[in-house]
PDB file of all heavy atoms in Angstrom:
ATOM      1  N   MET O   7       2.679 -48.483  41.601  1.00 71.00           N
ATOM      2  CA  MET O   7       4.231 -48.500  41.652  1.00 71.00           C
ATOM      3  C   MET O   7       4.750 -49.850  41.238  1.00 71.00           C
ATOM      4  O   MET O   7       5.985 -49.951  41.122  1.00 71.00           O
ATOM      5  CB  MET O   7       4.550 -48.262  43.203  1.00 71.00           C
ATOM      6  CG  MET O   7       4.290 -46.815  43.635  1.00 71.00           C
ATOM      7  SD  MET O   7       4.616 -46.560  45.341  1.00 71.00           S
ATOM      8  CE  MET O   7       6.379 -46.712  45.347  1.00 71.00           C
ATOM      9  N   GLU O   8       3.898 -50.848  40.997  1.00 86.00           N
ATOM     10  CA  GLU O   8       4.496 -52.064  40.504  1.00 86.00           C
ATOM     11  C   GLU O   8       5.174 -51.996  39.202  1.00 86.00           C
ATOM     12  O   GLU O   8       4.710 -51.236  38.425  1.00 86.00           O
ATOM     13  CB  GLU O   8       3.372 -53.233  40.436  1.00 86.00           C
ATOM     14  CG  GLU O   8       2.909 -53.731  41.774  1.00 86.00           C
ATOM     15  CD  GLU O   8       1.764 -54.666  41.587  1.00 86.00           C
ATOM     16  OE1 GLU O   8       1.133 -54.746  40.542  1.00 86.00           O
ATOM     17  OE2 GLU O   8       1.410 -55.364  42.559  1.00 86.00           O
ATOM     18  N   PRO O   9       6.180 -52.760  38.939  1.00 92.00           N
ATOM     19  CA  PRO O   9       6.821 -52.818  37.663  1.00 92.00           C
ATOM     20  C   PRO O   9       5.791 -53.249  36.509  1.00 92.00           C
ATOM     21  O   PRO O   9       4.921 -54.084  36.826  1.00 92.00           O
ATOM     22  CB  PRO O   9       7.955 -53.758  37.787  1.00 92.00           C
ATOM     23  CG  PRO O   9       7.649 -54.677  38.886  1.00 92.00           C
ATOM     24  CD  PRO O   9       6.898 -53.793  39.896  1.00 92.00           C
ATOM     25  N   LYS O  10       5.943 -52.616  35.364  1.00 94.00           N
ATOM     26  CA  LYS O  10       5.059 -53.066  34.270  1.00 94.00           C
ATOM     27  C   LYS O  10       5.808 -53.878  33.263  1.00 94.00           C
ATOM     28  O   LYS O  10       6.974 -53.505  32.992  1.00 94.00           O
ATOM     29  CB  LYS O  10       4.535 -51.775  33.593  1.00 94.00           C
ATOM     30  CG  LYS O  10       3.824 -50.753  34.524  1.00 94.00           C
ATOM     31  CD  LYS O  10       2.528 -51.321  35.108  1.00 94.00           C
ATOM     32  CE  LYS O  10       1.777 -50.303  35.885  1.00 94.00           C
ATOM     33  NZ  LYS O  10       2.444 -49.880  37.113  1.00 94.00           N
ATOM     34  N   PRO O  11       5.207 -54.867  32.683  1.00 96.00           N
ATOM     35  CA  PRO O  11       5.904 -55.744  31.732  1.00 96.00           C
ATOM     36  C   PRO O  11       6.209 -54.994  30.456  1.00 96.00           C
ATOM     37  O   PRO O  11       5.414 -54.171  29.987  1.00 96.00           O
ATOM     38  CB  PRO O  11       4.969 -56.912  31.505  1.00 96.00           C
ATOM     39  CG  PRO O  11       3.551 -56.398  31.840  1.00 96.00           C
ATOM     40  CD  PRO O  11       3.834 -55.389  32.911  1.00 96.00           C
ATOM     41  N   PHE O  12       7.369 -55.271  29.881  1.00 96.00           N
ATOM     42  CA  PHE O  12       7.646 -54.778  28.489  1.00 96.00           C
ATOM     43  C   PHE O  12       7.136 -55.652  27.453  1.00 96.00           C
ATOM     44  O   PHE O  12       7.138 -55.341  26.216  1.00 96.00           O
ATOM     45  CB  PHE O  12       9.165 -54.280  28.306  1.00 96.00           C
ATOM     46  CG  PHE O  12      10.123 -55.566  28.330  1.00 96.00           C
ATOM     47  CD1 PHE O  12      10.185 -56.399  27.164  1.00 96.00           C
ATOM     48  CD2 PHE O  12      10.786 -55.935  29.513  1.00 96.00           C
ATOM     49  CE1 PHE O  12      11.145 -57.468  27.155  1.00 96.00           C
ATOM     50  CE2 PHE O  12      11.670 -57.035  29.442  1.00 96.00           C
ATOM     51  CZ  PHE O  12      11.755 -57.782  28.312  1.00 96.00           C
ATOM     52  N   ASN O  13       6.819 -56.955  27.900  1.00 97.00           N
ATOM     53  CA  ASN O  13       6.362 -57.896  26.909  1.00 97.00           C
ATOM     54  C   ASN O  13       5.468 -58.901  27.712  1.00 97.00           C
ATOM     55  O   ASN O  13       5.952 -59.419  28.792  1.00 97.00           O
ATOM     56  CB  ASN O  13       7.507 -58.648  26.229  1.00 97.00           C
ATOM     57  CG  ASN O  13       6.980 -59.665  25.201  1.00 97.00           C
ATOM     58  OD1 ASN O  13       5.920 -59.534  24.526  1.00 97.00           O
ATOM     59  ND2 ASN O  13       7.844 -60.744  25.105  1.00 97.00           N
ATOM     60  N   SER O  14       4.351 -59.319  27.166  1.00 98.00           N
ATOM     61  CA  SER O  14       3.567 -60.380  27.764  1.00 98.00           C
ATOM     62  C   SER O  14       2.727 -60.992  26.677  1.00 98.00           C
ATOM     63  O   SER O  14       2.528 -60.450  25.613  1.00 98.00           O
ATOM     64  CB  SER O  14       2.678 -59.772  28.847  1.00 98.00           C
ATOM     65  OG  SER O  14       1.639 -58.797  28.361  1.00 98.00           O
ATOM     66  N   GLY O  15       2.231 -62.190  26.999  1.00 98.00           N
ATOM     67  CA  GLY O  15       1.441 -62.952  26.028  1.00 98.00           C
ATOM     68  C   GLY O  15       1.267 -64.335  26.496  1.00 98.00           C
ATOM     69  O   GLY O  15       1.346 -64.671  27.701  1.00 98.00           O
ATOM     70  N   PHE O  16       1.074 -65.232  25.442  1.00 98.00           N
ATOM     71  CA  PHE O  16       0.843 -66.645  25.746  1.00 98.00           C
ATOM     72  C   PHE O  16       1.724 -67.443  24.830  1.00 98.00           C
ATOM     73  O   PHE O  16       1.922 -67.162  23.606  1.00 98.00           O
ATOM     74  CB  PHE O  16      -0.608 -67.062  25.499  1.00 98.00           C
ATOM     75  CG  PHE O  16      -1.627 -66.353  26.468  1.00 98.00           C
ATOM     76  CD1 PHE O  16      -2.110 -65.089  26.267  1.00 98.00           C
ATOM     77  CD2 PHE O  16      -1.959 -67.140  27.617  1.00 98.00           C
ATOM     78  CE1 PHE O  16      -2.938 -64.540  27.166  1.00 98.00           C
ATOM     79  CE2 PHE O  16      -2.913 -66.586  28.557  1.00 98.00           C
ATOM     80  CZ  PHE O  16      -3.404 -65.241  28.368  1.00 98.00           C
ATOM     81  N   LEU O  17       2.234 -68.622  25.396  1.00 98.00           N
ATOM     82  CA  LEU O  17       2.890 -69.581  24.603  1.00 98.00           C
ATOM     83  C   LEU O  17       1.890 -70.160  23.606  1.00 98.00           C
ATOM     84  O   LEU O  17       0.737 -70.347  23.892  1.00 98.00           O
ATOM     85  CB  LEU O  17       3.535 -70.650  25.415  1.00 98.00           C
ATOM     86  CG  LEU O  17       4.893 -70.236  26.118  1.00 98.00           C
ATOM     87  CD1 LEU O  17       5.285 -71.369  27.059  1.00 98.00           C
ATOM     88  CD2 LEU O  17       6.005 -69.895  25.229  1.00 98.00           C
ATOM     89  N   PRO O  18       2.400 -70.724  22.468  1.00 97.00           N
ATOM     90  CA  PRO O  18       1.540 -71.513  21.607  1.00 97.00           C
ATOM     91  C   PRO O  18       0.866 -72.612  22.350  1.00 97.00           C
ATOM     92  O   PRO O  18       1.517 -73.293  23.245  1.00 97.00           O
ATOM     93  CB  PRO O  18       2.437 -72.073  20.535  1.00 97.00           C
ATOM     94  CG  PRO O  18       3.599 -71.087  20.492  1.00 97.00           C
ATOM     95  CD  PRO O  18       3.779 -70.573  21.850  1.00 97.00           C
ATOM     96  N   VAL O  19      -0.467 -72.833  22.116  1.00 98.00           N
ATOM     97  CA  VAL O  19      -1.192 -73.857  22.955  1.00 98.00           C
ATOM     98  C   VAL O  19      -0.574 -75.248  22.831  1.00 98.00           C
ATOM     99  O   VAL O  19      -0.232 -75.665  21.650  1.00 98.00           O
ATOM    100  CB  VAL O  19      -2.602 -73.947  22.403  1.00 98.00           C
ATOM    101  CG1 VAL O  19      -3.451 -75.039  23.111  1.00 98.00           C
ATOM    102  CG2 VAL O  19      -3.345 -72.573  22.705  1.00 98.00           C
ATOM    103  N   LYS O  20      -0.354 -75.906  23.878  1.00 98.00           N
ATOM    104  CA  LYS O  20       0.123 -77.267  23.919  1.00 98.00           C
ATOM    105  C   LYS O  20      -0.656 -78.150  24.915  1.00 98.00           C
ATOM    106  O   LYS O  20      -0.942 -77.724  26.085  1.00 98.00           O
ATOM    107  CB  LYS O  20       1.591 -77.271  24.259  1.00 98.00           C
ATOM    108  CG  LYS O  20       2.204 -78.715  24.133  1.00 98.00           C
ATOM    109  CD  LYS O  20       3.697 -78.732  24.393  1.00 98.00           C
ATOM    110  CE  LYS O  20       4.122 -80.189  24.372  1.00 98.00           C
ATOM    111  NZ  LYS O  20       5.687 -80.231  24.652  1.00 98.00           N
ATOM    112  N   ASP O  21      -1.107 -79.240  24.498  1.00 98.00           N
ATOM    113  CA  ASP O  21      -1.906 -80.179  25.419  1.00 98.00           C
ATOM    114  C   ASP O  21      -3.213 -79.565  25.903  1.00 98.00           C
ATOM    115  O   ASP O  21      -3.655 -79.852  27.061  1.00 98.00           O
ATOM    116  CB  ASP O  21      -1.053 -80.665  26.640  1.00 98.00           C
ATOM    117  CG  ASP O  21       0.253 -81.414  26.196  1.00 98.00           C
ATOM    118  OD1 ASP O  21       0.235 -82.024  25.186  1.00 98.00           O
ATOM    119  OD2 ASP O  21       1.242 -81.199  26.877  1.00 98.00           O
ATOM    120  N   GLY O  22      -3.637 -78.586  25.118  1.00 98.00           N
ATOM    121  CA  GLY O  22      -4.949 -77.887  25.481  1.00 98.00           C
ATOM    122  C   GLY O  22      -4.642 -76.693  26.545  1.00 98.00           C
ATOM    123  O   GLY O  22      -5.521 -76.113  27.001  1.00 98.00           O
ATOM    124  N   HIS O  23      -3.363 -76.458  26.846  1.00 98.00           N
ATOM    125  CA  HIS O  23      -2.990 -75.363  27.748  1.00 98.00           C
ATOM    126  C   HIS O  23      -2.351 -74.165  27.077  1.00 98.00           C
ATOM    127  O   HIS O  23      -1.542 -74.289  26.104  1.00 98.00           O
ATOM    128  CB  HIS O  23      -1.987 -75.915  28.824  1.00 98.00           C
ATOM    129  CG  HIS O  23      -2.504 -76.909  29.837  1.00 98.00           C
ATOM    130  ND1 HIS O  23      -3.106 -76.394  30.945  1.00 98.00           N
ATOM    131  CD2 HIS O  23      -2.652 -78.147  29.777  1.00 98.00           C
ATOM    132  CE1 HIS O  23      -3.464 -77.400  31.746  1.00 98.00           C
ATOM    133  NE2 HIS O  23      -3.319 -78.556  30.938  1.00 98.00           N
ATOM    134  N   SER O  24      -2.826 -73.006  27.359  1.00 98.00           N
ATOM    135  CA  SER O  24      -2.314 -71.712  26.965  1.00 98.00           C
ATOM    136  C   SER O  24      -1.635 -71.008  28.145  1.00 98.00           C
ATOM    137  O   SER O  24      -2.288 -70.545  29.135  1.00 98.00           O
ATOM    138  CB  SER O  24      -3.391 -70.908  26.407  1.00 98.00           C
ATOM    139  OG  SER O  24      -2.873 -69.642  25.832  1.00 98.00           O
ATOM    140  N   VAL O  25      -0.288 -70.964  28.089  1.00 98.00           N
ATOM    141  CA  VAL O  25       0.482 -70.530  29.301  1.00 98.00           C
ATOM    142  C   VAL O  25       0.852 -69.073  29.064  1.00 98.00           C
ATOM    143  O   VAL O  25       1.479 -68.611  28.194  1.00 98.00           O
ATOM    144  CB  VAL O  25       1.819 -71.400  29.357  1.00 98.00           C
ATOM    145  CG1 VAL O  25       2.667 -70.813  30.431  1.00 98.00           C
ATOM    146  CG2 VAL O  25       1.458 -72.849  29.616  1.00 98.00           C
ATOM    147  N   TYR O  26       0.579 -68.293  30.163  1.00 98.00           N
ATOM    148  CA  TYR O  26       0.734 -66.829  30.125  1.00 98.00           C
ATOM    149  C   TYR O  26       2.188 -66.575  30.644  1.00 98.00           C
ATOM    150  O   TYR O  26       2.711 -67.219  31.424  1.00 98.00           O
ATOM    151  CB  TYR O  26      -0.237 -66.115  31.092  1.00 98.00           C
ATOM    152  CG  TYR O  26       0.051 -64.653  31.344  1.00 98.00           C
ATOM    153  CD1 TYR O  26      -0.409 -63.798  30.457  1.00 98.00           C
ATOM    154  CD2 TYR O  26       0.812 -64.270  32.400  1.00 98.00           C
ATOM    155  CE1 TYR O  26      -0.105 -62.374  30.644  1.00 98.00           C
ATOM    156  CE2 TYR O  26       1.161 -62.961  32.585  1.00 98.00           C
ATOM    157  CZ  TYR O  26       0.691 -61.997  31.750  1.00 98.00           C
ATOM    158  OH  TYR O  26       0.916 -60.574  31.935  1.00 98.00           O
ATOM    159  N   PHE O  27       2.777 -65.530  30.059  1.00 98.00           N
ATOM    160  CA  PHE O  27       4.123 -65.167  30.407  1.00 98.00           C
ATOM    161  C   PHE O  27       4.205 -63.561  30.451  1.00 98.00           C
ATOM    162  O   PHE O  27       3.361 -62.943  29.827  1.00 98.00           O
ATOM    163  CB  PHE O  27       5.309 -65.775  29.575  1.00 98.00           C
ATOM    164  CG  PHE O  27       5.225 -65.223  28.159  1.00 98.00           C
ATOM    165  CD1 PHE O  27       6.015 -63.927  27.863  1.00 98.00           C
ATOM    166  CD2 PHE O  27       4.497 -65.688  27.060  1.00 98.00           C
ATOM    167  CE1 PHE O  27       5.943 -63.414  26.590  1.00 98.00           C
ATOM    168  CE2 PHE O  27       4.495 -65.173  25.768  1.00 98.00           C
ATOM    169  CZ  PHE O  27       5.269 -63.992  25.574  1.00 98.00           C
ATOM    170  N   ALA O  28       5.214 -63.101  31.153  1.00 98.00           N
ATOM    171  CA  ALA O  28       5.409 -61.624  31.153  1.00 98.00           C
ATOM    172  C   ALA O  28       6.959 -61.400  31.449  1.00 98.00           C
ATOM    173  O   ALA O  28       7.566 -62.175  32.243  1.00 98.00           O
ATOM    174  CB  ALA O  28       4.622 -60.968  32.299  1.00 98.00           C
ATOM    175  N   GLU O  29       7.431 -60.328  30.887  1.00 98.00           N
ATOM    176  CA  GLU O  29       8.892 -59.966  30.904  1.00 98.00           C
ATOM    177  C   GLU O  29       8.964 -58.641  31.512  1.00 98.00           C
ATOM    178  O   GLU O  29       8.172 -57.719  31.126  1.00 98.00           O
ATOM    179  CB  GLU O  29       9.601 -60.071  29.646  1.00 98.00           C
ATOM    180  CG  GLU O  29       9.668 -61.311  28.992  1.00 98.00           C
ATOM    181  CD  GLU O  29      10.530 -61.382  27.666  1.00 98.00           C
ATOM    182  OE1 GLU O  29      11.749 -61.518  27.910  1.00 98.00           O
ATOM    183  OE2 GLU O  29       9.984 -61.120  26.650  1.00 98.00           O
ATOM    184  N   TYR O  30       9.817 -58.406  32.456  1.00 98.00           N
ATOM    185  CA  TYR O  30      10.074 -57.203  33.179  1.00 98.00           C
ATOM    186  C   TYR O  30      11.558 -56.698  33.028  1.00 98.00           C
ATOM    187  O   TYR O  30      12.414 -57.536  32.875  1.00 98.00           O
ATOM    188  CB  TYR O  30       9.665 -57.233  34.671  1.00 98.00           C
ATOM    189  CG  TYR O  30       8.267 -57.581  34.846  1.00 98.00           C
ATOM    190  CD1 TYR O  30       7.873 -58.977  34.788  1.00 98.00           C
ATOM    191  CD2 TYR O  30       7.302 -56.716  35.077  1.00 98.00           C
ATOM    192  CE1 TYR O  30       6.489 -59.291  35.001  1.00 98.00           C
ATOM    193  CE2 TYR O  30       5.938 -56.974  35.337  1.00 98.00           C
ATOM    194  CZ  TYR O  30       5.540 -58.332  35.290  1.00 98.00           C
ATOM    195  OH  TYR O  30       4.268 -58.665  35.480  1.00 98.00           O
ATOM    196  N   GLY O  31      11.731 -55.406  33.161  1.00 97.00           N
ATOM    197  CA  GLY O  31      13.115 -54.880  33.237  1.00 97.00           C
ATOM    198  C   GLY O  31      13.752 -54.566  31.868  1.00 97.00           C
ATOM    199  O   GLY O  31      13.040 -54.000  30.935  1.00 97.00           O
ATOM    200  N   ASN O  32      14.997 -54.983  31.571  1.00 97.00           N
ATOM    201  CA  ASN O  32      15.740 -54.607  30.448  1.00 97.00           C
ATOM    202  C   ASN O  32      15.683 -55.661  29.412  1.00 97.00           C
ATOM    203  O   ASN O  32      16.175 -56.756  29.619  1.00 97.00           O
ATOM    204  CB  ASN O  32      17.137 -54.313  30.872  1.00 97.00           C
ATOM    205  CG  ASN O  32      18.124 -53.904  29.743  1.00 97.00           C
ATOM    206  OD1 ASN O  32      17.711 -53.936  28.541  1.00 97.00           O
ATOM    207  ND2 ASN O  32      19.276 -53.464  30.026  1.00 97.00           N
ATOM    208  N   PRO O  33      15.107 -55.457  28.251  1.00 97.00           N
ATOM    209  CA  PRO O  33      14.952 -56.465  27.140  1.00 97.00           C
ATOM    210  C   PRO O  33      16.344 -57.061  26.794  1.00 97.00           C
ATOM    211  O   PRO O  33      16.384 -58.226  26.353  1.00 97.00           O
ATOM    212  CB  PRO O  33      14.353 -55.695  26.062  1.00 97.00           C
ATOM    213  CG  PRO O  33      13.624 -54.600  26.634  1.00 97.00           C
ATOM    214  CD  PRO O  33      14.379 -54.182  27.860  1.00 97.00           C
ATOM    215  N   LEU O  34      17.393 -56.281  26.956  1.00 97.00           N
ATOM    216  CA  LEU O  34      18.751 -56.740  26.596  1.00 97.00           C
ATOM    217  C   LEU O  34      19.540 -57.157  27.722  1.00 97.00           C
ATOM    218  O   LEU O  34      20.707 -57.547  27.739  1.00 97.00           O
ATOM    219  CB  LEU O  34      19.494 -55.598  25.884  1.00 97.00           C
ATOM    220  CG  LEU O  34      18.890 -55.023  24.654  1.00 97.00           C
ATOM    221  CD1 LEU O  34      19.690 -53.943  24.033  1.00 97.00           C
ATOM    222  CD2 LEU O  34      18.605 -56.197  23.595  1.00 97.00           C
ATOM    223  N   GLY O  35      18.838 -57.255  28.886  1.00 97.00           N
ATOM    224  CA  GLY O  35      19.610 -57.535  30.177  1.00 97.00           C
ATOM    225  C   GLY O  35      19.852 -59.077  30.358  1.00 97.00           C
ATOM    226  O   GLY O  35      19.226 -59.942  29.516  1.00 97.00           O
ATOM    227  N   GLU O  36      20.526 -59.429  31.412  1.00 97.00           N
ATOM    228  CA  GLU O  36      20.811 -60.840  31.694  1.00 97.00           C
ATOM    229  C   GLU O  36      19.537 -61.465  32.130  1.00 97.00           C
ATOM    230  O   GLU O  36      18.799 -60.929  32.961  1.00 97.00           O
ATOM    231  CB  GLU O  36      21.891 -60.849  32.803  1.00 97.00           C
ATOM    232  CG  GLU O  36      22.542 -62.288  33.036  1.00 97.00           C
ATOM    233  CD  GLU O  36      23.735 -62.274  33.918  1.00 97.00           C
ATOM    234  OE1 GLU O  36      24.070 -61.112  34.282  1.00 97.00           O
ATOM    235  OE2 GLU O  36      24.261 -63.379  34.226  1.00 97.00           O
TER     236      GLU O  36
END
């Protein structure tokens, strides 16, 4: 029942770190 991301991935590597992100909800929303 958990919301599913409409977009997820990693930011370009910086300082040896790859940062994960995810977006939920309305892509055109506030």
Side-chain angles (χ1 to χ4, degrees):
M7 292 174 67
E8 286 179 342
K10 304 296 186 290
F12 67 79
N13 180 34
S14 64
F16 292 86
L17 283 176
V19 175
K20 184 177 181 182
D21 303 326
H23 287 272
S24 184
V25 173
Y26 173 84
F27 71 87
E29 297 188 85
Y30 299 82
N32 183 349
L34 301 178
E36 195 170 355

